[in-house]
Amino acid sequence: MQVDGKPYRSIWVNADGITIDVIDQTRLPHEFEILNLKTLADSCAAIRDMVVRGAPLIGATAAYGVYLAMLQEPSNAALDRACETLYATRPTAVNLRWALDRMRALLSDITPAERSDRALTEAGRIAELDVEINQRIGRHGLELIRKVAAGKKPGAAVNILTHCNAGWLATVDWGTATAPIYMAHDAGIPLQVWVDETRPRNQGANLTAWELGHHGVPHSLVVDNAGGHLMQQGMVDLCLVGSDRTTRSGDVCNKIGTYLKALAAHDNEVPFYVCLPSTTIDWNIGDGFSDIPIEQRGADEVTQIAGKLPDGGMGTVVIAPEGTGVVNYAFDVTPARLVTGLITERGMAEASEAGLANLFSDGASKGTD
Ligand code: MRU
């Protein structure tokens, strides 16, 4: 997508042809900085510290992390170590495991001398695949938005609520929940996007609002607790959110607070759609409530808020009494019964085991059309 008229992806190979560049998402929206990853340790830190985040981008960064590890040392032991270290960076988004399994399967079958070149090519394929998948999700979601627009008065905006950042910054390009939004906007359909701020890290305020603003999509930032009120007032036509892990039975694990939006949507008969690449489906898990590891993050994310200070620099302010106990679950699970539909690269699936199996009848997710 465009940043100040220049096309960007969230991750790419540096002009040196060797190292990897990412946008530092901890600095947005106040500073646009590019961070250069040279080693496995750089890649692990970027994922763990949320310089990069969002399920698909975590997967792509991990794939490039394996490549950087192979540049340093292409041995079997180093390959195992790289995959294990990367796997431990963040627990919830299943794309991380998907990408690492794919890299490990390819690289273990070839000689160490071939590994770094093949790893770079394969990581590039994973990144490219994500872009293609999101474009397909976008096209399927666009048809849905067209139908909603057709049911409204001519010229009236379609009101979409989204949570967290399931935008191009969370993927390699386009985003999952935002791909239909960008395509609908580009097709001339009037839109109004409600952007949940998404405490504690404010991915909505910092990232989604920044992305939509750069693309010229009309949007308003709302506090996390506003969604129910907006829906009661008839101000939301549909919800579009992303997913970090979807079980084979259609339960959706996504950023904390997604479940509350789904409950409010259900109560107000607002359709609630989840946009997800098949790489986000965990076919090994049927029950989202007991089997998905829910990441717990540090207390600082809750007791402090990062932002731009009056002197123009970036900093954090403390908002809770010193020593306040904190629990910080980063994700929650929305049960399949609250999900109107799953928008995948193969089209819309009912959020159920039968619905997903029907669409992906060739078995486990291959990330293919
Ligand atoms: O903790 P984050 O910022 O990595 O969480 C991201 C989300 O929850 C996104 O909505 C999710 O990854 C879907 S993104 C395409």
Side-chain angles (χ1 to χ4, degrees), residues 296-345:
Q296 288 196 55
R297 296 187 59 89
D300 286 359
E301 289 186 352
V302 181
T303 59
Q304 300 177 10
I305 293 196
K308 191 168 161 181
L309 300 173
D311 68 5
M314 283 186 65
T316 54
V317 293
V318 178
I319 59 163
E322 203 174 318
T324 303
V326 169
V327 175
N328 185 13
Y329 289 103
F331 298 94
D332 60 24
V333 177
T334 299
R337 69 185 162 79
L338 298 179
V339 176
T340 310
L342 303 170
I343 306 176
T344 75
E345 70 269 27

Side-chain angles (χ1 to χ4, degrees), residues 50 53-56 90 164-166 170 176 203 243-244 254-255 331:
M50 295 180 67
R53 25 70 49 206
R90 290 196 71 191
C164 192
N165 173 261
T176 56
Q203 290 95 327
S243 171
D244 287 84
N254 193 49
K255 181 52 55 188
F331 298 94

Side-chain angles (χ1 to χ4, degrees), residues 25-44:
Q25 301 191 23
T26 64
R27 315 295 297 174
L28 288 172
H30 313 295
E31 292 166 7
F32 184 79
E33 275 185 17
I34 291 167
L35 201 75
N36 183 242
L37 311 179
K38 295 187 178 65
T39 61
L40 169 66
D42 290 347
S43 314
C44 290

Side-chain angles (χ1 to χ4, degrees), residues 92 214 255 356:
T92 301
H214 273 272
K255 181 52 55 188
L356 279 171

Side-chain angles (χ1 to χ4, degrees), residues 203-224:
Q203 290 95 327
N206 293 339
L207 306 176
T208 307
W210 181 83
E211 275 193 22
L212 295 177
H214 273 272
H215 202 80
V217 180
H219 63 281
S220 300
L221 182 64
V222 291
V223 296
D224 287 328

